[in-house]
Amino acid sequence: VVGGSVSASVSQLMDEMDALPDDAVEAATQPSQLRRINTDFLLYRARRERRLSRSLADGTQREKASLASEQTFRRCLVLNPDDGRAYVGLGTLLANQKRFTEASELYDEATRVTSGTNPYIWTAWANLEARQGNTARARKLYEGAVVADVKHAAAWHGWGALEKRSGNLRRAQDLFIKGIKNTIGTPNPYLYQSLALTLEDMGEIEEARRWYIKGTKAQLVSKSDALWHTWAKMEASHGNPAVVRYLYQKALQVNPKSRYTYLSWGVWEKEQGNWANAKDLFKQGTELNPRDAAILQAWGLLEYETGNPAAARDLFQKATKMDGRHIPAWQAWGVMEYLEG
């Protein structure tokens, strides 16, 4: 792409494609035209339609976007049969539609077409099997992924998470550590975070703390607000208040808009009896994330518990307006109205 941003150029190209009749698009995607309409652009379009299909409320429109996404992913595979991204994208779409057998067959075909060298395909297939509860099968597929590329962090993380869900905490610990050791050049924050959380579940708080410290010293990992946030939550149960506040502040330095940090920190301050601090955090979090129902609901509970039902009612109403499917907000509002008579 010459001149302008890549995203802007891709968006413009996709708009042009949308304006073409189907036969013109087909013609445009012949090999002679691939310099202009190539696999990357089609993948962009397919992913855009897939995201749209998950956000639309209208069932007919959602189905239309989903079908368009599937057709475009399949067109990518015709153009470039060994492109792993198209297989993973289409497989993800099929899995979202609960077409699990088709997705599994697609991944099986993909591993054969790519001679088993693409770790993304192995990992996507393993995630699919794990989602269906096929633990033994998922293990073999995760193993295939790390054989294909021992530095593939997502495979180590998925495999470790599988073992953790299965109750094999020591095995999960071992896999997360192997993942960290094999990705030293490109450290992954989720491996450090999941390892520390596993150790916390095992009651090994000092060891968990040691891995949090290691993670925050790795340049790429230290930029993860999630790592600072989960460390703060651990210290909230096992550490001292000054450390907890320091860690939450570090999380906000990395991501000043982090809705999870504002919510978690605010709830913790409330539990400590620091209602003014909690209110300030909920207020700041809402100003930065005005559509976040969870923060509004937590703030509403604080107002009610400190004797201000009118303010609580207003906050609960806003929360349900922002997200009508946020059950805790409806429940909190209902309980308050019941108690208020």
Side-chain angles (χ1 to χ4, degrees):
V1 178
V2 179
S5 70
V6 173
S7 60
S9 299
V10 171
S11 296
Q12 181 180 356
L13 178 59
M14 292 304 102
D15 290 339
E16 292 175 8
M17 286 183 64
D18 289 338
L20 292 173
D22 288 343
D23 56 348
V25 173
E26 291 292 344
T29 55
Q30 295 306 307
S32 61
Q33 301 295 325
L34 287 182
R35 284 179 296 181
R36 181 174 183 271
I37 311 292
N38 59 27
T39 306
D40 287 343
F41 292 148
L42 287 174
L43 282 170
Y44 173 88
R45 182 181 188 180
R47 290 164 179 161
R48 184 186 66 176
E49 294 291 349
R50 186 181 65 193
R51 288 194 299 270
L52 182 63
S53 72
R54 303 201 72 183
S55 64
L56 292 170
D58 181 78
T60 302
Q61 293 298 317
R62 188 166 58 245
E63 185 176 348
K64 182 180 178 181
S66 182
L67 179 60
S69 177
E70 180 175 347
Q71 290 174 338
T72 308
F73 275 128
R74 292 192 185 281
R75 190 174 299 163
C76 291
L77 290 175
V78 171
L79 291 172
N80 192 354
D82 59 355
D83 191 317
R85 298 170 300 170
Y87 282 109
V88 172
L90 179 56
T92 300
L93 176 66
L94 295 173
N96 289 342
Q97 297 173 338
K98 301 191 187 311
R99 295 159 64 183
F100 299 129
T101 301
E102 289 179 66
S104 183
E105 291 173 350
L106 177 76
Y107 290 138
D108 187 21
E109 175 190 348
T111 56
R112 285 186 277 106
V113 170
T114 60
S115 302
T117 60
N118 191 311
Y120 295 92
I121 294 172
W122 285 109
T123 302
W125 191 2
N127 291 340
L128 174 68
E129 297 298 336
R131 178 178 174 181
Q132 297 177 85
N134 301 328
T135 303
R137 180 65 171 154
R139 282 193 186 103
K140 292 181 180 179
L141 295 169
Y142 282 127
E143 185 176 6
V146 298
V147 168
D149 183 359
V150 74
K151 297 180 180 180
H152 192 60
W156 289 112
H157 185 265
W159 193 356
L162 172 72
E163 297 297 348
K164 183 178 179 182
R165 289 194 302 272
S166 302
N168 304 320
L169 299 185
R170 284 294 177 196
R171 179 60 173 152
Q173 175 191 0
D174 179 57
L175 288 166
F176 290 138
I177 291 175
K178 284 183 178 179
I180 289 171
K181 289 181 177 179
N182 282 295
T183 57
I184 292 176
T186 54
N188 184 286
Y190 297 106
L191 287 170
Y192 284 93
Q193 181 188 31
S194 295
L195 173 57
L197 288 170
T198 301
L199 290 165
E200 183 181 2
D201 288 345
M202 294 164 64
E204 299 183 14
I205 305 305
E206 286 299 326
E207 186 68 3
R209 188 176 287 123
R210 186 171 72 87
W211 281 103
Y212 274 126
I213 292 171
K214 280 189 174 185
T216 55
K217 287 184 177 180
Q219 185 175 3
L220 294 176
V221 178
S222 66
K223 300 184 188 309
S224 168
D225 62 296
L227 190 73
W228 291 104
H229 175 208
T230 54
W231 186 5
K233 290 185 69 174
M234 186 188 80
E235 297 297 349
S237 300
H238 306 283
N240 65 69
V243 172
V244 175
R245 291 190 180 96
Y246 168 79
L247 294 172
Y248 276 129
Q249 287 169 354
K250 292 292 290 185
L252 289 180
Q253 286 176 18
V254 173
N255 182 2
K257 291 184 64 175
S258 175
R259 54 186 288 264
Y260 301 106
T261 300
Y262 278 108
L263 177 60
S264 179
W265 191 359
V267 169
W268 179 77
E269 291 288 3
K270 175 187 165 186
E271 292 172 347
Q272 306 307 302
N274 302 319
W275 295 334
N277 288 355
K279 183 174 181 177
D280 285 344
L281 287 163
F282 292 144
K283 183 178 179 181
Q284 291 173 42
T286 298
E287 288 172 351
L288 293 168
N289 305 276
R291 301 190 64 81
D292 192 280
I295 297 177
L296 287 165
Q297 182 248 351
W299 187 1
L301 285 172
L302 173 66
E303 293 292 352
Y304 183 63
E305 291 169 13
T306 53
N308 196 346
R313 184 176 292 111
D314 180 59
L315 290 163
F316 290 143
Q317 185 175 12
K318 286 180 180 177
T320 55
K321 184 178 180 180
M322 293 299 104
D323 184 358
R325 295 177 294 182
H326 193 266
I327 303 302
W330 287 107
Q331 290 177 330
W333 190 2
V335 169
M336 186 195 78
E337 296 297 355
Y338 173 79
L339 293 174
E340 289 294 297

